[in-house]
Amino acid sequence: MRSFFGKYKLFFIVLFCLSAIIVYLFYNALQPKQKLPIYQPSMVNPELVDSTIQEKRKYHTITDFSLMNQNGKTITQKDYEGKIYIADFFFTTCPTICPVMTKNMASIQNRIGDEVLLLSHSVTPQIDSVAQLKKYAMEKGVDDSKWNLVTGDKKQIYELARKSYLAVKTDGDGGPYDMIHTENFILVDKERRIRGFYDGTKVEEVEKLMDDLEILKASYSE
């Protein structure tokens, strides 16, 4: 008996390995694919829902925009066309949450490939000129090929924050006394739809974002 098993030891090892692989593949095939939600305004803040607009389209999407980045280049949705991206709202003179958010966004920058971009909107565009954004970008290690810090018309930026990115629940007119301050990182897919919200000041939330990013990327390769 010993000689039998000794003679066919390699065969049994290979058979066992193949069986384990087959079981693993079957298990994965039977597991439900992870999917991310597609956020609608009603899921975030029902008070801001425009029912007329919602009736005309199936999914909420980020509206067109035109803003200026740290290099003085005009940035529009065309620059993000066909890309997954992560957006947030900050200001360069913020002493509280923004430095932490920027540090965490920089860590994301170092972990993403060319198929993912970053977009940070200044909520104090009257202070954050192109020159100020460039100085800040250089201090924080911003890679211009992956990450745009943008400034521009305050009303447009605040409209984007409230009505497009659903980043804040407060109302306002984007006027001189209006102020937005949010820790949200927003994950946007290639169709300009919101797929996730994350607290950009928390490492565990950033890790959740990175996990969700992989799920989203995988959904485009299926």
Side-chain angles (χ1 to χ4, degrees), residues 79-86 109 111-118 145-146 187-190 210 213-218 220-221:
D79 295 283
Y80 287 80
E81 192 171 34
K83 297 283 188 179
I84 296 169
Y85 71 96
I86 300 160
Q109 170 190 256
R111 298 168 65 182
I112 56 176
D114 295 336
E115 72 277 21
V116 181
L117 297 176
L118 309 176
S145 68
K146 294 181 180 180
L187 178 61
V188 182
D189 69 16
K190 294 181 182 182
M210 297 305 296
L213 179 58
E214 291 305 312
I215 294 170
L216 184 56
K217 285 163 60 178
Y220 286 105
S221 60

Side-chain angles (χ1 to χ4, degrees), residues 11-27:
F11 170 77
F12 285 114
I13 290 173
V14 172
L15 183 63
F16 175 79
C17 291
L18 286 174
S19 300
I21 291 170
I22 292 169
V23 169
Y24 174 77
L25 291 174
F26 267 107
Y27 176 78

Side-chain angles (χ1 to χ4, degrees), residues 54-67:
Q54 292 304 310
E55 287 172 3
K56 292 180 180 178
R57 62 191 184 196
K58 185 176 181 181
Y59 293 117
H60 173 83
T61 56
I62 308 302
T63 192
D64 293 337
F65 58 82
S66 180
L67 298 164

Side-chain angles (χ1 to χ4, degrees), residues 25-36 215 222:
L25 291 174
F26 267 107
Y27 176 78
N28 277 340
L30 293 172
Q31 288 290 97
K33 295 290 184 183
Q34 289 182 290
K35 292 184 179 180
L36 302 181
I215 294 170
E222 292 175 356

Side-chain angles (χ1 to χ4, degrees), residues 48 53 60 62-64 89 153-168 171-174 178 180:
L48 296 181
I53 293 175
H60 173 83
I62 308 302
T63 192
D64 293 337
F89 294 83
D153 179 68
K154 184 178 179 181
K155 286 185 180 294
Q156 180 186 178
I157 292 171
Y158 278 47
E159 183 82 2
L160 282 167
R162 290 187 169 112
K163 300 294 179 69
S164 274
Y165 291 101
L166 312 177
V168 290
D171 200 3
D173 60 1
D178 192 7
I180 284 176

Side-chain angles (χ1 to χ4, degrees), residues 63-124:
T63 192
D64 293 337
F65 58 82
S66 180
L67 298 164
M68 196 78 71
N69 79 351
Q70 67 267 27
N71 297 313
K73 177 187 174 184
T74 299
I75 300 296
T76 70
Q77 276 287 4
K78 284 289 184 183
D79 295 283
Y80 287 80
E81 192 171 34
K83 297 283 188 179
I84 296 169
Y85 71 96
I86 300 160
D88 74 337
F89 294 83
F90 82 112
F91 57 107
T92 62
T93 56
C94 167
T96 55
I97 64 174
C98 298
V100 180
M101 292 168 62
T102 302
K103 179 182 178 182
N104 287 336
M105 193 68 91
S107 74
I108 293 172
Q109 170 190 256
N110 296 330
R111 298 168 65 182
I112 56 176
D114 295 336
E115 72 277 21
V116 181
L117 297 176
L118 309 176
L119 180 60
S120 295
H121 309 73
S122 170
V123 296
T124 59

